Amino acid sequence: MSDEQEDDIILAELDDDELVLQMHDDLYDGLKEEIEEGVNILLERGWTPYRILTEALVAGMKVVGDDFRDGILFVPEVLLAANAMKAGMFILKPLLVETGAPKMGKMVIGTVKGDIHDIGKNLVAMMMEGAGFEIRDLGINNPVEDYIAALEEENADILGMSALLTTTMPYMKVVIDTMKEKGIRDDYIILVGGAPLNEEFGRAIGPGYRHFPLPARQCNPRPGC
């Protein structure tokens, strides 16, 4: 669609289905103001915050995630899309709390010890929050003790670990091995992510593996989960 055609689109004149599809396009293009406008229009039309989140934002970001996985989009484009979604989430988040939107579970996420990169971690945290998970973000440079303490404090369901460096990604196994030693490994689903990670590494550090459209790998001890 040309810029001229995009300028002619008046969001308020679109019906609900058209507006949602347009919001998917606007997310893909990282158009923050258009997403904010679209969210407010749907709220005015009586849509629940949770429905807007799932049908307009999360569904739109899935397309972004799929194209990132397939090499069609790259990190700068994904960041623009994430910022646009964040703007919509900023409007919806307090309303989701007020309306008692369903919660999928709790996730603790952080970059591993020795690594200060957090772009991918932040994207995954945002997507998981959009999917209905409560997020405890530990930030960067986390030793195993911080992960385990947060998991216990939050009574979490999922642990997410991120690493960008080949020198820091082995620390993920340190965390998993420590959890095994403490007898708590099977209590959690573990997601690991980062540019240098691959399927071989994901299988090596945990008994299960599943590929995700965003840069995360799941080490899952629960068959069929």
Side-chain angles (χ1 to χ4, degrees):
M1 184 178 293
S2 70
D3 291 340
E4 182 178 350
Q5 287 175 309
E6 288 182 349
D7 290 340
D8 291 337
I9 295 174
I10 300 175
L11 297 182
E13 294 182 354
L14 301 177
D15 65 30
D16 287 2
D17 291 341
E18 292 171 334
L19 178 55
V20 168
L21 290 176
Q22 183 60 44
M23 290 176 70
H24 293 175
D25 288 345
D26 291 341
L27 268 177
Y28 196 93
D29 294 333
L31 303 179
K32 176 181 173 182
E33 293 181 1
E34 284 79 354
I35 291 300
E36 291 172 332
E37 182 182 356
V39 167
N40 285 321
I41 290 171
L42 290 175
L43 286 171
E44 291 170 1
R45 293 181 182 180
W47 279 47
T48 65
Y50 184 71
R51 185 183 178 193
I52 298 171
L53 175 64
T54 56
E55 295 185 23
L57 299 186
V58 174
M61 280 301 290
K62 182 182 183 303
V63 178
V64 174
D66 289 346
D67 280 2
F68 178 71
R69 174 199 62 199
D70 296 338
I72 298 169
L73 291 179
F74 299 94
V75 170
E77 292 93 343
V78 175
L79 286 176
L80 286 173
N83 285 333
M85 180 172 177
K86 187 175 181 180
M89 288 280 292
F90 183 79
I91 298 170
L92 293 176
K93 196 169 183 178
L95 301 176
L96 289 166
V97 174
E98 289 178 10
T99 56
K103 289 293 182 183
M104 301 298 294
K106 288 186 178 181
M107 179 180 188
V108 170
I109 189 170
T111 304
V112 298
K113 183 178 179 180
D115 204 315
I116 60 172
H117 301 89
D118 63 358
I119 291 176
K121 171 189 69 66
N122 293 342
L123 287 172
V124 172
M126 185 194 66
M127 289 297 292
M128 294 295 285
E129 184 175 22
F133 288 87
E134 294 182 45
I135 302 296
R136 167 88 177 268
D137 190 341
L138 301 179
I140 60 174
N141 193 29
N142 289 283
V144 59
E145 295 82 5
D146 288 1
Y147 286 118
I148 292 175
L151 288 170
E152 294 173 348
E153 290 168 7
E154 300 295 336
N155 191 25
D157 305 290
I158 301 174
L159 169 62
M161 294 184 286
S162 174
L164 184 65
L165 305 175
T166 56
T167 54
T168 58
M169 60 188 255
Y171 195 79
M172 294 174 174
K173 190 173 189 305
V174 173
V175 176
I176 293 174
D177 288 346
T178 302
M179 293 172 70
K180 289 179 181 177
E181 292 170 5
K182 292 180 174 292
I184 62 173
R185 167 62 187 90
D186 290 352
D187 295 339
Y188 306 98
I189 292 172
I190 297 180
L191 300 180
V192 295
L197 274 65
N198 55 29
E199 180 174 349
E200 181 180 358
F201 179 79
R203 292 186 186 280
I205 66 173
Y209 172 87
R210 205 173 285 177
H211 181 73
F212 282 75
L214 284 171
R217 308 285 188 265
Q218 179 182 17
C219 304
N220 185 359
R222 306 173 189 175
C225 183

